[in-house]
Amino acid sequence: MNFPYANKKWMTISLAAVLTTAIGAGTLTASANTGSEQAKTTATAPAQTQATPDKVAAETGSSTAPAATAAEELTLEKAIEQALKTNNTLVNARFDAKNADYNQQLSYKTSADMPAEMIESLEAAKAKHLGNAQGELTKKLNALAVTATEGKIKLGAQNAFYNLIFAQDDYQLKKQSLSRAETQLKVAKAAFDVGTKAKTDVLQAEMGVAGAQAALTSAENSVQIAIMELNDFLGTDLTKKWKVTSSNKQTAPVTMTMEQAQAQALSKRIEMTKVQEELNLAELNVKLISEYSIVSGLPGKIARTNVEKAKATIEEQKRVISKEVAQAYLNLNAAREAIDFQKKAKDSAAESYRLTNLRFENGLATTLEVVQAEEELSSRENQYQKAILSYNLAVVNFETSLGN
């Protein structure tokens, strides 16, 4: 076969083509690609080529500095535990609950200690029995308020943790994208040097590298912001360094049915406890009126109306909770299906990029087409990672709707 180029030139082009093929299509981290539970440890900030030693220590969790500055390991469970200890909103909620309990005790101390034989009127009976019940309810509701706040803090901690994981994974994807772009630039320059490609191919490849570098810088900034957001929510120092360990990315579907989820939520949600206790209080008021007065009077009618109102409130709360659970369940299933779709799209983009590279090697594609194929692959990789993030957050929201 007669080649149109000298042997030396042809060898240069062949080596460049091999280099392009070797780099291949970008791949995701193992845990993201497979959805497995295999542990994956990543640094809290990406390493830069020209990073200082201190910055490298902050970003990789390894350092030549004293041990006191080493990054602390952080898992999802530890993030939640830390937030429950030091989150400012939760700390204040606990203080408010204590003060509310103290105030309630002061309000009902005298009437609660009243001997039963001294109760001769409805007012006195209410002061003792209804007052006691109201005091206990207030104390219980204060505790429930703290518990509800704890649930929100758990949710927020998981959101902040997963956002950091996504930012780190996105940074790794941008590094892969830059590596592919740099390889394409080398190939374009090699082809230009032997006279098989025009200068415009080199310029297009350079633009691809510049775009990939800009995306990498943006991704690095996102990691730093995610670290600060996480520290802020946990109530720790904003500059605290973490070596984040993620071993629980979830991609498996939930086996519970919607009806089972709704039943569980109705039995565990704090809101149901609250409205049920309010019904008990309303029924106690009717009981006291019947013992010390007449239920057929206006106070009795009002009390019985309050009982019916409390029952209606319970039914309305059931509807609200059932609707919330149903929405969370549907969102969860949709997020799970999105993972499959985005994975297929990512795999297709990877194959398209590979084939475009092959066409380029045979002179059937331009550098611009390769750059565009790489950008599409990078975008699909990012969308796949977002789908996994969305599903994990959907799992968190679903668990929260159950009252867990």
Side-chain angles (χ1 to χ4, degrees):
M1 181 182 294
N2 294 322
F3 296 105
Y5 311 112
N7 290 338
K8 184 176 180 181
K9 290 185 176 181
W10 184 262
M11 182 175 293
T12 303
I13 297 173
S14 299
L15 288 174
V18 169
L19 182 59
T20 304
T21 305
I23 195 67
T27 56
L28 295 172
T29 56
S31 60
N33 254 334
T34 62
S36 67
E37 296 298 315
Q38 181 179 357
K40 182 194 76 169
T41 303
T42 56
T44 55
Q48 288 286 324
T49 303
Q50 315 230 340
T52 64
D54 288 342
K55 188 173 183 181
V56 171
E59 295 174 345
T60 64
S62 61
S63 174
T64 57
T69 61
E72 184 178 346
E73 184 177 14
L74 183 69
T75 63
L76 177 61
E77 293 74 19
K78 187 173 180 179
I80 294 174
E81 180 183 356
Q82 182 69 47
L84 291 177
K85 289 180 181 178
T86 55
N87 178 271
N88 293 329
T89 300
L90 182 56
V91 170
N92 289 331
R94 286 169 176 158
F95 286 141
D96 291 341
K98 283 185 178 180
N99 285 335
D101 287 344
Y102 295 150
N103 290 331
Q104 194 65 37
Q105 291 175 20
L106 290 173
S107 301
Y108 290 101
K109 181 173 178 57
T110 303
S111 57
D113 292 339
M114 183 185 301
E117 58 271 14
M118 294 181 59
I119 301 176
E120 298 179 350
S121 65
L122 177 60
E123 289 73 17
K126 283 186 176 183
K128 179 177 178 62
H129 298 294
L130 199 59
N132 283 344
Q134 181 66 58
E136 289 300 317
L137 175 59
T138 300
K139 184 176 181 180
K140 192 170 187 176
L141 293 181
N142 290 339
L144 290 176
V146 172
T147 302
T149 303
E150 288 176 348
K152 293 178 181 178
I153 297 306
K154 289 179 182 178
L155 175 62
Q158 292 178 84
N159 283 339
F161 183 87
Y162 280 127
N163 283 334
L164 175 55
I165 291 296
F166 170 74
Q168 292 176 337
D169 288 345
D170 184 54
Y171 175 80
Q172 295 303 320
L173 292 177
K174 295 302 187 290
K175 285 181 66 176
Q176 292 178 14
S177 178
L178 176 59
S179 178
R180 292 193 293 260
E182 288 174 339
T183 299
Q184 184 58 36
L185 177 58
K186 291 178 182 178
V187 173
K189 285 183 176 179
F192 174 73
D193 290 340
V194 298
T196 61
K197 291 292 181 182
K199 182 65 175 178
T200 54
D201 288 281
V202 177
L203 295 175
Q204 289 168 348
E206 288 176 344
M207 286 189 294
V209 170
Q213 287 175 332
L216 182 63
T217 300
S218 178
E220 182 183 7
N221 290 338
S222 296
V223 171
Q224 299 297 337
I225 292 173
I227 292 173
M228 286 191 292
E229 292 289 348
L230 177 62
N231 282 328
D232 184 40
F233 192 88
L234 297 184
T236 56
D237 190 278
L238 293 178
T239 60
K240 184 174 179 62
K241 302 176 181 64
W242 298 108
K243 183 173 68 174
V244 178
T245 301
S246 175
S247 59
N248 54 355
K249 284 186 177 179
Q250 305 179 65
T251 57
V254 174
T255 57
M256 184 183 301
T257 66
M258 184 187 296
E259 291 73 20
Q260 291 172 331
Q262 290 171 328
Q264 180 176 323
L266 292 176
S267 66
K268 297 179 66 174
R269 287 279 291 264
I270 292 174
E271 296 93 327
M272 289 303 303
T273 302
K274 179 178 181 295
V275 293
Q276 183 60 53
E277 290 295 333
E278 290 174 346
L279 173 60
N280 295 339
L281 196 63
E283 291 176 338
L284 175 59
N285 191 30
V286 172
K287 179 181 178 182
L288 293 176
I289 291 176
S290 65
E291 291 180 359
Y292 293 94
S293 183
I294 54 174
V295 182
S296 59
L298 287 178
K301 292 180 179 179
I302 293 174
R304 284 183 296 177
T305 300
N306 287 335
V307 169
E308 295 305 314
K309 180 181 178 181
K311 290 180 179 179
T313 301
I314 289 178
E315 293 304 313
E316 178 60 23
Q317 190 63 65
K318 287 181 179 179
R319 287 168 53 87
V320 171
I321 291 177
S322 296
K323 180 181 177 182
E324 288 180 1
V325 173
Q327 290 175 332
Y329 187 87
L330 294 173
N331 289 338
L332 183 62
N333 286 336
R336 178 64 186 81
E337 292 179 2
I339 292 179
D340 294 334
F341 168 77
Q342 293 297 343
K343 186 177 188 307
K344 291 178 181 178
K346 175 184 70 69
D347 292 342
S348 296
E351 180 64 7
S352 176
Y353 174 68
R354 186 185 71 83
L355 294 175
T356 305
N357 263 320
L358 289 177
R359 292 175 57 238
F360 177 81
E361 294 165 16
N362 291 279
L364 301 175
T366 65
T367 299
L368 179 59
E369 289 176 315
V370 177
V371 170
Q372 290 174 338
E374 194 286 323
E375 290 175 347
E376 177 66 17
L377 173 57
S378 179
S379 175
R380 291 301 180 181
E381 288 173 336
N382 183 266
Q383 292 302 315
Y384 177 59
Q385 286 284 18
K386 283 184 177 180
I388 294 178
L389 171 68
S390 297
Y391 182 72
N392 278 270
L393 295 180
V395 171
V396 172
N397 288 324
F398 178 65
E399 292 290 337
T400 302
S401 73
L402 298 181
N404 295 336

